[in-house]
Amino acid sequence: MVNVIGLGYIGLPTALMFASHGVDVVGTDYDTELVALLKSGKTTFEEEGLDVLFNEAVKKGIEFSTNYIATDVYIIAVPTPYDKLSKKIDTRYLLVAIKNVMEICPKGAIMVIESTVSPGTIDKFVRPIVEANGFIIGQDINLVHAPERIIPGNMIYELKHNSRTMGADDKAAGEKIKELYSVFCQENIVVTDIRTAEMIKVVENTFRDINIAFANELTKICRSDNMDVYEIIRIANMHPRVSILQPGPGVGGHCISVDPWFLVGDYPGLANIVLAARKINDSMPEFVLERVQSIIKEKEMTDLSRVGLYGLTYKENVDDVRESPTLQLLEAMDKHLAPALKVYDPFVKRDVVKNQYHDFDAFLNDVDLVIIMVSHDEIKENMNKLAGKIILDTRNICNIEGTYKL
Ligand code: SAJ
């Protein structure tokens, strides 16, 4: 039996995937409300294919609990944020999970850590807890690091079709976990050591952050000299060895905007491009604000209460608002004591900011300037509704004449 600890964006689909492929699974989370919701047959976030997978897993007997279960395989998928001051990993949720596992874990078990961790975290923080509980690593328990790689919006497909990295001290334990994941993972699973696996994960997300930063920096350069960055990227990408990503209003989410900080915090003076990229991406919400100010001036708008942000999530067609560029932009406005803008997002059902709308038409009715922050399918399919508005499109999805771009 597998006990999956942490039933969030990664733990839940992973638990469901194992269960739907016939593995005995208990999913554990400390959040009683979340567990109650799952037990009542409801999923806890929106993701393509998640409900179908959930129903299959329930049919196969998956269980949800707030308790940790004595079993032979644990998979830990709890959040690992970064400490905003030191830029280092905040291991608090991970270490609580490890301690709880150690309290009930029988000898001979394998503990798999899926949560992203900075290189050295397992040596520095995890091993001492395991050993303090009287377990000899390699003899009484084995550790494996299996960092997740799935992208929100395409998680279910990617769980099956992405290759994986497994870091293990003990080859046999690594191979055992590889075999377990092979029940659903159809791609190559590479077994390496733990520290290498930790680094690979952080490197993957840092690579993407740096490449998005390049697109964002180009945007600023092009804006300053009146060039069309999208045309430049489109045509440059026709070169066989050039593949520039897309500029945007910033980088959000719990992964790409977080993981590169681990390298900055842990290797001071060495992670220079990484730090520059983080700063560029973090500057984008303010850049959007500057664009808004110049448009307001150009259009001689006087009623600033009629400015609205479309999109609150960190990217298209997900309901996750963590570190979202829209939240970053609102925070920047707050610092300048500027009045809050109107905000609408079809995926965010609860109120998370001031002046939030829950109906697209009502939102459009109350604004003259629409800032497209997220390219949800809803707006792409209803672009005609924006006719007559002043539009700032930070995602390059709107073809309406006169639309302002980044
Ligand atoms: N973004 C851009 N321009 C782009 C691509 C993305 O501005 O060309 C922005 C998005 O709008 C968003 C942010 O970057 O705000 C991050 O979005 P994303 O789609 O690039 O990535 P995430 O955070 O949803 O998922 C990433 C993935 N990592 C990589 O592609 C290397 C995923 O595979 C990881 O599993 C995930 O992080 C994670 O959990 O670590």
Side-chain angles (χ1 to χ4, degrees):
M1 182 196 280
V2 174
N3 189 192
V4 178
I5 316 294
L7 298 174
Y9 288 98
I10 301 301
L12 181 62
T14 304
L16 299 177
M17 193 56 95
F18 274 119
S20 67
H21 284 79
V23 177
D24 271 350
V25 177
V26 177
T28 297
D29 201 290
Y30 80 108
D31 183 340
T32 44
E33 263 177 48
L34 182 139
V35 170
L37 215 61
L38 292 170
K39 280 185 164 184
S40 74
K42 293 193 187 98
T43 49
T44 40
F45 63 95
E46 285 192 40
E47 173 67 32
E48 168 120 28
L50 188 68
D51 286 344
V52 173
L53 187 67
F54 181 83
N55 292 336
E56 280 170 30
V58 168
K59 256 191 237 145
K60 293 275 175 80
I62 188 169
E63 285 178 34
F64 302 106
S65 173
T66 50
N67 297 323
Y68 288 61
I69 312 295
T71 183
D72 49 352
V73 178
Y74 294 90
I75 295 178
I76 299 178
V78 294
T80 40
Y82 78 102
D83 177 85
K84 289 202 167 131
L85 276 181
S86 70
K87 311 294 186 206
K88 293 190 181 191
I89 188 167
D90 174 352
T91 51
R92 101 181 68 158
Y93 305 110
L94 178 67
L95 300 191
V96 168
I98 308 271
K99 275 184 194 138
N100 290 340
V101 167
M102 292 319 299
E103 272 172 23
I104 43 106
C105 171
K107 294 211 165 163
I110 301 180
M111 184 153 63
V112 182
I113 296 170
E114 279 232 10
S115 310
T116 302
V117 292
S118 56
T121 297
I122 292 179
D123 283 351
K124 205 155 136 198
F125 299 104
V126 176
R127 292 186 199 275
I129 297 179
V130 173
E131 283 156 5
N133 279 271
F135 280 63
I136 299 172
I137 296 171
Q139 191 176 303
D140 303 327
I141 190 164
N142 274 299
L143 303 182
V144 175
H145 181 36
E148 56 86 11
R149 267 187 176 164
I150 51 179
I151 196 147
N154 198 25
M155 287 178 154
I156 312 302
Y157 176 87
E158 290 204 352
L159 266 174
K160 292 184 187 159
H161 299 281
N162 282 0
S163 67
R164 303 279 304 232
T165 316
M166 307 267 147
D169 308 316
D170 178 71
K171 265 257 176 274
E175 291 298 328
K176 196 167 166 197
I177 296 304
K178 171 176 171 173
E179 204 181 305
L180 177 67
Y181 277 74
S182 299
V183 296
F184 64 78
C185 176
Q186 299 165 19
E187 270 302 321
N188 200 9
I189 300 177
V190 183
V191 180
T192 179
D193 63 88
I194 288 187
R195 216 181 157 95
T196 305
E198 290 175 323
M199 185 63 170
I200 289 167
K201 170 65 201 198
V202 174
V203 163
E204 289 166 0
N205 280 351
T206 304
F207 172 86
R208 194 155 168 86
D209 197 42
I210 290 172
N211 282 281
I212 297 168
F214 179 56
N216 285 335
E217 186 158 87
L218 281 182
T219 302
K220 290 183 175 182
I221 292 171
C222 291
R223 171 60 47 209
S224 78
D225 205 13
N226 203 24
M227 290 182 271
D228 181 346
V229 71
Y230 299 105
E231 182 75 343
I232 289 161
I233 292 176
R234 187 178 70 81
I235 299 173
N237 280 350
M238 290 174 181
H239 185 290
R241 282 174 296 284
V242 175
S243 180
I244 304 169
L245 291 175
Q246 288 304 304
V251 167
H254 202 51
C255 314
I256 296 200
S257 68
V258 172
D259 301 351
W261 285 120
F262 298 159
L263 295 180
V264 174
D266 287 345
Y267 302 98
L270 294 178
N272 300 315
I273 295 181
V274 180
L275 176 59
R278 275 286 68 239
K279 284 186 178 163
I280 292 164
N281 289 337
D282 275 355
S283 75
M284 291 311 287
E286 295 242 16
F287 181 71
V288 174
L289 274 180
E290 283 162 23
R291 294 286 296 133
V292 173
Q293 274 157 0
S294 80
I295 293 164
I296 286 174
K297 216 165 145 199
E298 189 182 320
K299 290 287 178 185
E300 296 175 350
M301 279 181 75
T302 45
D303 189 356
L304 299 187
S305 72
R306 293 190 60 84
V307 179
L309 296 159
Y310 178 92
L312 190 49
T313 61
Y314 83 93
K315 67 174 190 177
E316 70 284 0
N317 304 326
V318 301
D319 62 5
D320 189 346
V321 299
R322 289 177 299 174
E323 323 288 335
S324 93
T326 301
L327 288 179
Q328 292 178 41
L329 184 152
L330 291 171
E331 208 177 295
M333 288 192 70
D334 244 8
K335 266 192 231 148
H336 300 303
L337 299 174
L341 302 178
K342 296 189 161 70
V343 185
Y344 162 73
D345 192 304
F347 283 87
V348 185
K349 309 277 192 269
R350 62 199 195 289
D351 277 328
V352 291
V353 291
K354 279 184 244 162
N355 296 338
Q356 191 180 332
Y357 285 66
H358 297 280
D359 181 81
F360 193 19
D361 294 331
F363 166 76
L364 285 178
N365 214 24
D366 284 359
V367 299
D368 298 323
L369 167 54
V370 182
I371 306 150
I372 303 175
M373 296 291 285
V374 186
S375 53
H376 289 311
D377 286 348
E378 182 203 54
I379 194 162
K380 287 208 233 155
E381 286 158 12
N382 291 285
M383 207 51 95
N384 58 327
K385 289 192 176 181
L386 268 64
K389 304 282 179 200
I390 306 166
I391 305 163
L392 169 59
D393 173 14
T394 71
R395 296 286 185 173
N396 196 29
I397 53 167
C398 179
N399 291 326
I400 296 174
E401 178 108 21
T403 295
Y404 292 90
K405 301 279 171 168
L406 267 183

